Amino acid sequence: MSQPSQKPRLTPQFCFNETALRGKTDPLMHIPSTNLNSLMTPARAGFDPSSTAERQTQTSRTRPLDPEACQGFKENVLFQSWQTRSDVLAYCAGVAVNPDDPDLIAREAESAKDRERVVDERLDPYSGRFFPREARTESLANLIRNERGVEGIIRARTWGLVTERCGDGAGWQEALDKWRVIDLELHASFLKPRTESLQISNLRVSLPFCLIASVILNVAQQLQFNSANMSQQQQMQLGAKERSLFAQIVKHYESKQYKKGLKCAEQVLRKSPKHGDTQAMKALIINAQGNTDEAFVLCKEALKNAMKSHVCWHVYGLLWRCIKNYEEAIKAYKFALKLEPDSQQILRDLALLQIQMRDYQGYIQSRRTILQSKTPNGQKNSNYRLNWTALAVAQHLAGDLYDAERTLTTFEETLRSTPPNTDNEHSEALLYKNTIIAETGETERALEHLEAFFKSNLDRTAAMEMRAQYLLQLDRREEAEKAYRALLDRNAEYRAYYDGLRKAMKIEDSDTQSLKTLYDEYAKKNPRGDTAKRVPLEFLQGDEFREAADQYLQQMLYKGVPSTFANIKALYSDSTKRKTVQSLAESYLSNTHSPLANGSAEKPVNGDEKSEAKQPSFDVSVLYFLAQHYNYHLSRDLARSMELIDKAIETQPNEVNYHMTKARILKHRGNIHKASETMEKARSLDERDRYINTKAAKYQLRNDENEAAITNMGKFTRKEAVGGPLGDLIDMQCMWYVTEDGEAYMRQGNFGLALKRFTAVYDIFETWQEDQFDFHTFSIRKGQIRAYMDMLRWEDHLREHPYFSRAAISAIRIYLRLFDGPKMNGVNGEHKDGGANERKKAQKKARKAQEKQEQIHAEKKDAKKTAGTGAGADGEVKKEDTDPQGITLAQTTEPLVDAMKFLTPLLEYSPKNIEAQHVGFDVFIRRRKYLLALRCLLAARSIDSSHPLSYEQTIRLRHTLQSLPEPLPPQISEALEGEFSPLIPPDADLSKLNSHFLDGHSDSAAHVRAFLRTRQLLDPKSADENQKDVIRTLALPLVSLEDAVSGLELLNDWHAESRYRNDYMAAAHERWPEATVFISTKD
């Protein structure tokens, strides 16, 4: 029988001897049949001559061998030879990763010399190619990789013959691993008693044997674990055809050809059902098709089959990222990097999530790793500017300003030649570096750095602005004055330049004469400009103001500038200036004014007669200006305003702006219906104007005409948009319309559609948050770093936007109403307009409206199926909306939990919004989170301690704490009282406090309503008296139309009797006869 292979003397020199390394494959692996035949036992019986009478089909090759002989051959010869070969390849693989390379210096010198070589490629096109010499370790690594592949093929063929003769059904890898474990256990059992005896006799001698034994046992356990993984790797091995199919799967996924990708995946999985990478790619494709849950199940199955596959962990992270669970995605990416540390794609994906989560330290580490690594093509990432810039951005965001500057400087030092002046990326990088220097506080150094490239920088305006700011900060006022004057010569309408020039010239705010001289200078230089003429109106007083305002108004009104009042109304906070403007405008109307001395204002802008004929007359412009003046809340006289605008319309009946102003006046008088009609008439005068079209739709929504509004908006939306005009408006993120539409449905009691719209606004902000992913790579690649930094800072305060606050507060109020009245959680809320019959009629009407909407939706759905497409103009398939009416949203069983979706970001990003604090208190006190409710209450009181709702909630919290059925835990109670007792003591008489509150605010309708709600809370028996007192608030001298509407809503919240509601509406209608809210539907 053959002997096992002899292990050679392993040295680095042996590994780098390619002939010796290739020649050490055991010959018995190539001729396994001969070695197996040697195991056959000679025939014990004699020769039978009759055996030659028939042909023998069973040859010695297929004749089974003795099991004991087979086992001995495998254990003593085959496995030992394989193990020897594995040890050789493992040792040489370790040599291949050794960083010591004696040829390194010579090879780098040769590479540098070849890079500097200059050739004429026209004469010798091949001489320009540069092929750097490969390192010895890289050559050895490639050789080891090839030898391991060859060894695997030989062992598979050898094991096939062995199993054919010996009958073993296991794979060669599994059998070899079992032999390794048994062999190591035998060594360990041999060493164990020996170490015990040596421990007694000689402790110093026994210690090494104990360590050796423990190491061997640990290795055996590790090999048992690795054997399972090795079998997984065996399952993951694919043939050439399957590898080609796998590459096509990746290609189809990247090109969004998902059906073709799934087809290729199925072909691979039919051959290798447990191939983890293919399962992972299939999961990624399924997720792209919208089946996220199924994708997660399949990806987890892939991880079971290939736990050590970086592809599976990468895909697992991508799936978590798709559902916006970035923490889990980062964990998966980090595990994938442990398996494949050099994967550029995983590193980039991890860096994107880290900057998205504002994990600046982790982002710095990832960007540094990317910078120090190589691309798949073997190029160093340090050769590309974007990698250095990304690291500098990470350090800048983390506050390491000097490190960020040092990073940018290091890259500049690696440049062999200065980039040309037309290099926009280099120009932006210099400005970005200059902003970093300025943020360190070293203004002098920032100015010196800026001066070095000031004349050649492409962003001339930005460089000039930065230079002027630095000069002003350094108190070099003469140079700063010249710098700001140069900026004003470029743009005389930018007010910040005037402010900078004023500071450079040391002109104080009280020196009005010097300020006037400065602005008059630029008004003469730029006679058509507005800023130099408008700004002096803010600091001038008395006769000087009157003279300047007279000249400004006459000039603007003679030209017929429609925005004249919009430019002037900011001055109305000063009552003296407001009265002056009013007297001037009235004098123009009565023709008692003094025209401009030179009459230049009466001339057309370009001096031709044709243009002059198109200008509105001075008198009509004055009528329009005064109509807006009297419609403004600080100078409101709606009767006078309506009189003036009617005269203007009589003069020019087709002027759109006049009809729009009339609609605004009607809105302020409370006649929403007439205002909507008037704005629609204005729209009909110019049907091509998008602005007036949107204004008409907005007024229709205020009048609860949702269908008419969407019809108008549809005139300017894409006809082919999926979901019709509304779907296009949501895709285009038209937040004002979506918000107004939701508020209209909220007023109608259709809480389902209202929540649907407010959720759409929430999703728009989520989309803006997600859109950062595109700019993390795009901005760095394009070199737009300063704009990128501004975008990141804006995104950090994204949900402070007024539209988010408005939609979130409205949605929370709906959820509060759903919690307080469970019967209202249908499509339409319960109408509290008094009487069971009226409620039944309203419910019947709502039911018919719902059925109509469902029928329309079903017809649209059938039409789409018939057309056979659900894709938009961009070809992207849109997901079907399974709840178009918002029924699921309104039928929630946990409204307070759903409200937290809106409340959490609202309180985090808008802590100074008093309405947000008020609704936060309402949510938390219903959830019995009294500490959180107190925090919202204290925040609201810090914003406005005199707000009536803050007072009401203070009493409500104390009343709730006094009425608890069980006392709070001691720690919570102590924390509560420590902050709350200074406001109201625990034993305070709340009724007396409420009466005292009324005595101090008896003239304010809002405070009186807060008193009445508090009294209703403390004494429910006072309901009749409270309802009567609500009616009495209409007699207060300072009550407004908004106060009257709030009083009606309060009666509705109390389920007031019909007689009280009718009396209230009658009294309100008498005071505001045009207000449609106080006109009964019967009338």
Side-chain angles (χ1 to χ4, degrees):
M1 185 174 70
S2 298
Q3 298 298 319
S5 302
Q6 298 297 320
K7 187 173 182 179
R9 182 173 177 269
L10 298 179
T11 61
Q13 290 77 10
F14 169 81
C15 294
F16 287 110
N17 187 345
E18 184 175 342
T19 304
L21 185 60
R22 289 182 181 275
K24 283 300 177 180
T25 303
D26 199 317
L28 71 87
M29 303 300 118
H30 297 282
I31 47 174
S33 299
T34 304
N35 292 280
L36 291 174
N37 290 336
S38 65
L39 302 178
M40 294 179 60
T41 303
R44 294 182 175 85
F47 174 70
D48 185 6
S50 62
S51 61
T52 60
E54 296 180 1
R55 183 179 180 181
Q56 300 293 325
T57 58
Q58 184 179 14
T59 62
S60 61
R61 179 175 178 178
T62 59
R63 192 178 307 164
L65 301 176
D66 182 61
E68 294 182 0
C70 282
Q71 190 65 23
F73 170 75
K74 288 187 289 186
E75 292 179 356
N76 300 323
V77 179
L78 185 63
F79 290 154
Q80 289 189 16
S81 299
W82 284 358
Q83 184 61 41
T84 300
R85 182 63 176 169
S86 297
D87 293 342
V88 171
L89 295 178
Y91 174 80
C92 292
V95 173
V97 299
N98 190 348
D100 297 334
D101 188 354
D103 297 334
L104 178 61
I105 298 177
R107 191 173 65 257
E108 288 184 350
E110 178 184 345
S111 300
K113 183 178 179 180
D114 288 338
R115 287 193 185 96
E116 296 174 357
R117 184 174 54 187
V118 179
V119 295
D120 189 351
E121 297 184 8
R122 293 176 299 173
L123 301 178
D124 186 3
Y126 297 99
S127 62
R129 296 183 180 180
F130 170 58
F131 299 99
R133 192 153 59 100
E134 194 176 37
R136 289 200 313 164
T137 54
E138 294 179 3
S139 301
L140 179 58
N142 292 330
L143 178 60
I144 295 298
R145 199 176 297 114
N146 293 335
E147 286 299 306
R148 281 177 170 169
V150 172
E151 190 72 17
I153 295 173
I154 293 175
R155 291 182 183 184
R157 294 180 58 189
T158 301
W159 190 252
L161 293 174
V162 171
T163 54
E164 182 182 353
R165 304 293 298 277
C166 297
D168 194 343
W172 71 267
Q173 184 70 63
E174 183 179 355
L176 179 60
D177 291 340
K178 289 181 179 179
W179 174 81
R180 287 170 174 166
V181 173
I182 294 172
D183 188 56
L184 285 173
E185 287 178 348
L186 290 174
H187 282 78
S189 61
F190 170 75
L191 289 172
K192 188 174 181 180
R194 187 177 178 185
T195 57
E196 290 176 354
S197 61
L198 287 174
Q199 285 175 356
I200 299 173
S201 61
N202 191 343
L203 182 61
R204 289 179 299 174
V205 177
S206 65
L207 183 58
F209 285 99
C210 293
L211 292 175
I212 293 172
S214 62
V215 168
I216 291 177
L217 289 173
N218 290 333
V219 171
Q221 295 174 358
Q222 185 65 30
L223 284 174
Q224 288 178 348
F225 172 78
N226 289 339
S227 64
N229 290 325
M230 290 179 182
S231 62
Q232 291 176 0
Q233 294 173 5
Q234 176 68 18
Q235 293 171 355
M236 291 171 60
Q237 292 177 359
L238 297 176
K241 180 180 179 182
E242 285 71 25
R243 287 197 299 272
S244 175
L245 287 172
F246 184 80
Q248 292 181 26
I249 296 172
V250 178
K251 181 179 179 181
H252 290 322
Y253 171 75
E254 292 175 348
S255 60
K256 296 185 178 181
Q257 297 178 349
Y258 300 134
K259 291 184 178 179
K260 293 182 179 180
L262 284 178
K263 184 177 179 181
C264 293
E266 293 296 340
Q267 293 180 12
V268 175
L269 292 176
R270 275 198 293 269
K271 187 70 177 290
S272 302
K274 293 187 178 182
H275 188 251
D277 290 0
T278 304
Q279 290 176 320
M281 287 304 303
K282 181 180 178 182
L284 204 57
I285 295 174
I286 292 174
N287 177 70
Q289 293 179 326
N291 301 321
T292 305
D293 295 337
E294 183 181 351
F296 264 102
V297 173
L298 184 57
C299 188
K300 290 178 180 179
E301 185 66 26
L303 284 172
K304 291 180 182 178
N305 295 328
M307 183 62 71
K308 289 196 173 183
S309 168
H310 70 278
V311 175
C312 296
W313 282 104
H314 188 195
V315 171
Y316 194 53
L318 292 174
L319 294 180
W320 281 118
R321 172 184 159 175
C322 287
I323 63 173
K324 301 175 185 178
N325 191 336
Y326 299 139
E327 292 83 0
E328 292 297 328
I330 288 175
K331 292 179 184 177
Y333 288 158
K334 288 182 176 179
F335 199 94
L337 282 175
K338 291 181 181 178
L339 302 173
E340 189 68 19
D342 299 330
S343 175
Q344 295 293 301
Q345 186 60 49
I346 301 175
L347 276 170
R348 284 194 294 267
D349 288 346
L350 175 61
L352 285 178
L353 282 185
Q354 287 169 333
I355 184 59
Q356 184 77 3
M357 297 294 292
R358 303 302 190 261
D359 177 14
Y360 297 135
Q361 296 302 325
Y363 187 50
I364 291 174
Q365 182 178 357
S366 297
R367 295 310 313 189
R368 183 174 283 116
T369 303
I370 293 174
L371 180 64
Q372 295 172 350
S373 61
K374 293 184 178 180
T375 65
N377 298 330
Q379 297 291 329
K380 292 182 179 180
N381 281 324
S382 57
N383 293 338
Y384 301 98
R385 179 192 290 272
L386 67 92
N387 294 315
W388 292 89
T389 305
L391 177 59
V393 167
Q395 293 166 336
H396 185 191
L397 291 171
D400 302 331
L401 300 179
Y402 290 102
D403 289 344
E405 180 191 354
R406 193 179 302 111
T407 298
L408 294 174
T409 304
T410 303
F411 174 74
E412 292 172 3
E413 293 172 351
T414 62
L415 297 175
R416 296 180 179 176
S417 61
T418 304
N421 294 338
T422 57
D423 190 339
N424 183 69
E425 186 178 4
H426 181 65
S427 176
E428 280 290 319
L430 290 174
L431 285 176
Y432 173 60
K433 179 181 176 181
N434 189 261
T435 59
I436 294 176
I437 298 174
E439 288 183 20
T440 62
E442 300 181 31
T443 309
E444 183 72 37
R445 191 162 64 91
L447 179 60
E448 293 175 359
H449 177 262
L450 180 63
E451 294 284 7
F453 62 88
F454 177 74
K455 294 182 180 180
S456 62
N457 195 268
L458 297 179
D459 194 345
R460 185 69 174 169
T461 303
M464 293 176 67
E465 289 177 349
M466 295 166 69
R467 182 173 179 272
Q469 291 173 6
Y470 297 157
L471 291 170
L472 187 60
Q473 292 173 10
L474 294 172
D475 203 26
R476 295 161 61 173
R477 297 187 179 274
E478 292 184 2
E479 297 177 77
E481 179 182 347
K482 293 180 181 179
Y484 277 112
R485 287 188 181 276
L487 286 168
L488 283 170
D489 291 340
R490 295 171 64 90
N491 181 9
E493 295 298 308
Y494 190 29
R495 183 166 179 174
Y497 295 163
Y498 289 99
D499 295 337
L501 179 58
R502 179 178 58 82
K503 293 177 182 178
M505 297 176 67
K506 291 187 177 181
I507 301 177
E508 301 294 335
D509 294 339
S510 58
D511 190 359
T512 58
Q513 192 60 41
S514 299
L515 288 173
K516 185 175 184 302
T517 302
L518 173 63
Y519 283 102
D520 287 345
E521 175 189 349
Y522 281 95
K524 292 178 182 179
K525 288 184 179 180
N526 186 26
R528 294 189 179 183
D530 181 72
T531 304
K533 303 171 186 175
R534 165 63 182 79
V535 173
L537 299 179
E538 298 181 3
F539 58 81
L540 293 176
Q541 299 292 333
D543 293 339
E544 289 184 339
F545 171 78
R546 185 179 185 87
E547 181 182 353
D550 184 20
Q551 186 175 2
Y552 182 79
L553 287 173
Q554 286 197 53
Q555 186 176 14
M556 300 292 281
L557 294 174
Y558 272 117
K559 291 181 179 179
V561 178
S563 60
T564 302
F565 180 75
N567 294 344
I568 288 293
K569 66 182 181 181
L571 304 172
Y572 280 26
S573 57
D574 187 334
S575 59
T576 303
K577 292 184 178 181
R578 182 172 69 243
K579 293 176 181 178
T580 301
V581 171
Q582 179 176 324
S583 65
L584 286 172
E586 289 287 358
S587 68
Y588 303 155
L589 186 62
S590 60
N591 202 20
T592 60
H593 68 290
S594 299
L596 294 181
N598 55 9
S600 60
E602 298 183 11
K603 295 180 181 179
V605 175
N606 54 10
D608 60 5
E609 298 296 332
K610 190 174 182 180
S611 175
E612 184 177 7
K614 292 183 178 180
Q615 293 180 6
S617 67
F618 178 77
D619 294 338
V620 179
S621 298
V622 172
L623 288 172
Y624 178 52
F625 178 86
L626 279 173
Q628 295 176 89
H629 167 83
Y630 287 114
N631 186 44
Y632 192 58
H633 69 96
L634 292 177
S635 54
R636 181 158 293 172
D637 185 350
L638 296 178
R640 175 68 172 157
S641 179
M642 182 62 73
E643 176 188 351
L644 293 168
I645 200 63
D646 284 338
K647 289 181 180 180
I649 292 175
E650 289 177 5
T651 305
Q652 294 187 0
N654 293 329
E655 177 58 43
V656 175
N657 290 322
Y658 300 165
H659 290 277
M660 292 175 63
T661 301
K662 183 175 182 179
R664 294 190 185 97
I665 297 170
L666 290 169
K667 178 189 70 173
H668 293 149
R669 296 172 75 166
N671 196 341
I672 305 299
H673 179 70
K674 188 67 175 177
S676 176
E677 291 181 351
T678 305
M679 193 64 77
E680 175 62 19
K681 182 179 180 180
R683 185 201 64 81
S684 65
L685 296 175
D686 189 357
E687 295 185 350
R688 296 183 179 181
D689 192 312
R690 184 190 294 266
Y691 172 73
I692 181 58
N693 183 80
T694 57
K695 292 296 289 186
K698 182 177 181 179
Y699 273 65
Q700 287 168 336
L701 290 174
R702 296 284 177 89
N703 195 39
D704 297 340
E705 300 175 79
N706 301 77
E707 293 299 327
I710 196 62
T711 301
N712 269 342
M713 295 299 294
K715 293 177 170 56
F716 287 90
T717 58
R718 294 178 299 140
K719 304 299 181 184
E720 70 278 4
V722 176
L726 179 62
D728 187 47
L729 290 171
I730 293 176
D731 288 343
M732 298 301 293
Q733 300 176 345
C734 186
M735 287 193 298
W736 75 263
Y737 181 86
V738 180
T739 304
E740 290 282 356
D741 197 32
E743 291 175 348
Y745 283 121
M746 183 179 177
R747 287 191 297 271
Q748 300 169 43
N750 193 335
F751 294 154
L753 280 174
L755 287 174
K756 190 75 175 177
R757 301 295 180 262
F758 297 141
T759 303
V761 175
Y762 180 91
D763 292 339
I764 288 173
F765 282 88
E766 286 291 304
T767 301
W768 286 357
Q769 190 79 19
E770 290 293 306
D771 286 345
Q772 291 184 79
F773 279 111
D774 299 329
F775 291 97
H776 293 323
T777 54
F778 173 82
S779 299
I780 299 293
R781 189 174 69 251
K782 293 296 183 181
Q784 304 297 325
I785 313 303
R786 292 178 298 144
Y788 173 65
M789 296 295 293
D790 292 339
M791 184 272 295
L792 289 180
R793 288 163 180 159
W794 177 79
E795 288 277 3
D796 290 340
H797 304 278
L798 176 62
R799 287 177 176 80
E800 293 178 8
H801 197 285
Y803 273 121
F804 180 82
S805 302
R806 184 174 165 184
I809 290 172
S810 298
I812 293 169
R813 285 173 176 166
I814 291 177
Y815 283 121
L816 290 173
R817 294 183 66 178
L818 293 178
F819 178 81
D820 295 339
K823 293 182 180 180
M824 298 193 305
N825 63 350
V827 175
N828 292 279
E830 181 181 357
H831 293 264
K832 307 181 184 72
D833 43 5
N837 293 331
E838 293 184 5
R839 284 197 297 272
K840 289 182 179 179
K841 290 180 181 178
Q843 291 172 0
K844 184 177 180 181
K845 183 179 179 181
R847 195 160 46 246
K848 289 183 178 180
Q850 177 184 355
E851 292 174 357
K852 182 179 179 180
Q853 291 290 336
E854 292 177 351
Q855 183 179 359
I856 293 174
H857 176 66
E859 291 175 356
K860 290 181 179 179
K861 187 175 179 180
D862 294 339
K864 288 180 182 179
K865 288 183 178 180
T866 304
T869 178
D874 54 358
E876 183 179 354
V877 178
K878 307 294 182 182
K879 293 183 179 179
E880 182 183 358
D881 190 354
T882 57
D883 186 26
Q885 301 300 312
I887 299 176
T888 304
L889 291 172
Q891 290 180 344
T892 176
T893 57
E894 296 180 332
L896 296 182
V897 176
D898 294 340
M900 291 301 299
K901 169 185 174 182
F902 293 90
L903 182 60
T904 301
L906 184 64
L907 294 178
E908 180 180 357
Y909 296 103
S910 300
K912 297 299 182 181
N913 189 327
I914 194 169
E915 286 188 88
Q917 301 297 342
H918 286 157
V919 295
F921 175 89
D922 289 333
V923 171
F924 289 131
I925 200 163
R926 285 169 173 81
R927 298 187 67 189
R928 300 179 182 178
K929 306 289 185 181
Y930 301 119
L931 281 173
L932 296 176
L934 176 61
R935 185 175 67 177
C936 290
L937 176 61
L938 294 176
R941 292 178 67 92
S942 66
I943 299 170
D944 184 3
S945 59
S946 63
H947 196 284
L949 190 54
S950 298
Y951 159 78
E952 179 187 343
Q953 291 181 344
T954 303
I955 299 294
R956 182 179 176 185
L957 179 58
R958 176 54 69 191
H959 177 70
T960 302
L961 295 176
Q962 291 177 352
S963 307
L964 289 176
E966 297 180 359
L968 294 173
Q971 294 180 345
I972 297 178
S973 178
E974 182 180 355
L976 266 173
E977 295 302 336
E979 296 289 338
F980 193 38
S981 295
L983 297 178
I984 300 181
D987 55 349
D989 189 339
L990 301 182
S991 298
K992 288 184 178 180
L993 288 175
N994 196 36
S995 300
H996 180 69
F997 174 79
L998 179 63
D999 295 339
H1001 303 88
S1002 58
D1003 294 336
S1004 171
H1007 289 80
V1008 171
R1009 289 195 302 273
F1011 160 78
L1012 295 176
R1013 282 193 294 264
T1014 304
R1015 189 169 69 178
Q1016 179 78 12
L1017 174 68
L1018 300 176
D1019 184 15
K1021 296 181 180 179
S1022 62
D1024 289 342
E1025 186 64 25
N1026 294 332
Q1027 294 171 18
K1028 293 177 183 179
D1029 288 342
V1030 172
I1031 301 174
R1032 296 189 186 103
T1033 59
L1034 296 174
L1036 295 174
L1038 299 179
V1039 68
S1040 64
L1041 177 59
E1042 290 77 12
D1043 288 329
V1045 174
S1046 299
L1048 180 60
E1049 292 176 353
L1050 178 59
L1051 291 176
N1052 290 336
D1053 291 340
W1054 282 346
H1055 302 272
E1057 297 180 13
S1058 299
R1059 57 191 179 97
Y1060 292 123
R1061 292 185 69 259
N1062 293 336
D1063 291 345
Y1064 186 90
M1065 293 184 66
H1069 179 66
E1070 183 179 355
R1071 186 161 183 175
W1072 295 278
E1074 294 189 41
T1076 54
V1077 69
F1078 302 125
I1079 299 176
S1080 175
T1081 54
K1082 296 179 180 179
D1083 299 338

